[in-house]
């Protein structure tokens, strides 16, 4: 479709601007500034320059392919650090004996945590893990046993997943932001579009179809409070064969959100934590409170449970649910996420709160046997690490060992 050019005198021709005309134009066109020109939104970020100054191709999302695994990972078994030997491809624990803060920083950087933010550290309150004691031996690489001191490293790169304990009631009840301080609203022209979760000072995790908007943090009310501008959106590559796959995006904020009572990051899941069906999980959001309803002014919370992939597919979704998705809801229906909740977290409380899923899709809302489907965050950990690394260093970090 050709872009629409307007004469220089267009503003006087439309003056005083009719609000309806303006709303229509805003929804369908981008205004190029010099020379003044309207470009259909379809042509924005299509790889072809339509505005002479390039506004239509500036600030476009960046596609990041899923690369090789990061050189470090942290196990659910007391946050034991494992590092990848890039020559043998084997994972091993790290001995406490000669471990230094510089190595801790390097390991956290592998997972995309920035050292400037001072996020990394060995948890001084947690005793290092003694291999073989308490830890499930099958989840610990065998080289854990070779440490002289007998101690391996437990690593905490972020002070995440902390929230005040307010009562959480089942079945869509108003929520306080202090209970879910990582929850943000992604907004476009002041309108709520999607939810999202703060996963670090400058990062919001959301769904792929929720980008390019402004992010609003630290409020359980939709209206009011300031917004934070988006610097860049990162998307995982989409496969036309399964368009519902890879519904994940990372939003880099122009300025970091600092920890406060109302804004705190949520933890990412452990690479090796497989939740069992029936595990209680929480969902939050400003989405519709009934199927054809409207957005909720107050943040809502509800408890759901994990449903296994097979019965989720059998009951309703005919194989559309892949192993990189999670289903959650209640067998009898009634409690679910809905339109406007997309991008928001599916939360698991395992010592600290973790974002195990991202609200993605579902048939209807709350209908029995058509539960909500969520992007499995665990399946995209390496992608998340890669995006944060690439963006922090403008390239790949050197392998850990
Ligand atoms: N795609 C929806 C959105 O953009 C979320 C749908 C979730 N549906 C469900 N039944 N859980 O907000």
């Amino acid at each position: 479709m050709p872009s629409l050019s307007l004469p220089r005198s267009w503003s006087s021709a439309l003056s005083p601007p009719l609000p309806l005309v303006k709303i229509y134009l805003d929804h369908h066109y981008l205004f190029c500034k010099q020379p003044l020109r309207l470009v259909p939104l379809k042509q924005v970020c299509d790889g072809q320059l339509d505005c002479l100054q390039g506004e239509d191709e500036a600030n476009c999302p960046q596609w990041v392919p899923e690369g090789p695994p990061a050189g470090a990972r942290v196990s659910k078994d007391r946050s034991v650090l494992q590092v990848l030997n890039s020559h043998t491809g084997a994972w091993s624990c790290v001995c406490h004996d000669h471990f230094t803060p510089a190595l801790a920083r390097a390991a956290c950087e592998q997972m995309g945590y920035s050292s400037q933010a001072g996020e990394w550290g060995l948890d001084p309150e947690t005793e290092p893990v003694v291999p073989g004691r308490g830890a499930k031996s099958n989840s610990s690489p065998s080289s854990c046993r070779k440490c002289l001191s007998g101690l391996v490293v437990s690593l905490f790169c972020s002070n995440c997943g902390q929230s005040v304990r307010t009562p959480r009631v089942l079945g869509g009840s108003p929520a306080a932001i202090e209970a879910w301080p990582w929850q943000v609203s992604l907004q476009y022209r002041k309108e709520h579009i999607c939810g999202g979760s703060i996963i670090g000072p400058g990062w919001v995790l959301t769904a792929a179809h929720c980008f390019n908007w402004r992010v609003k943090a630290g409020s359980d009310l939709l209206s009011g409070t300031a917004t934070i501008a988006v610097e860049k959106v990162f998307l995982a590559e989409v496969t036309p064969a399964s368009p519902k796959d890879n519904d994940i995006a990372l939003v880099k904020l122009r300025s970091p959100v600092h920890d406060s009572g109302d804004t705190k990051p949520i933890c990412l899941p452990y690479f090796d934590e497989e939740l069992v069906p029936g595990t209680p999980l929480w969902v939050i959001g400003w989405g519709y409170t009934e199927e054809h309803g409207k957005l909720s002014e107050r943040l809502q919370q509800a408890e759901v449970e994990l449903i296994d992939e097979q019965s989720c597919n059998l009951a309703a979704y005919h194989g559309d649910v892949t192993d990189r998705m999670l289903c959650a809801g209640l067998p009898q229906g009634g409690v679910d996420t809905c339109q406007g909740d997309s991008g928001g977290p599916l939360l698991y409380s395992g010592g600290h709160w973790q974002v195990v899923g991202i609200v993605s899709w579902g048939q209807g809302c709350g209908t029995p046997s058509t539960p909500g489907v969520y992007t499995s965050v665990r399946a995209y950990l390496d992608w998340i690490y890669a995006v944060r690394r690439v963006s922090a260093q403008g390239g790949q970090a050197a392998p850990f060992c």
Side-chain angles (χ1 to χ4, degrees), residues 30-43:
L30 173 86
F31 285 71
C32 301
K33 290 197 183 88
Q34 292 271 316
L36 210 50
R37 188 184 194 200
L38 290 182
V39 171
L41 287 186
K42 258 197 226 154
Q43 287 172 222

Side-chain angles (χ1 to χ4, degrees), residues 209 336-342 359-366 372-374:
H209 60 278
D336 194 6
T337 44
C338 202
Q339 298 327 108
D341 288 323
S342 268
V359 183
S360 182
W361 59 279
Q363 191 179 302
C365 298
V373 188
Y374 299 78

Side-chain angles (χ1 to χ4, degrees), residues 60 204 216 279 390:
C60 294
V204 169
K216 194 171 133 183
T279 301
V390 165

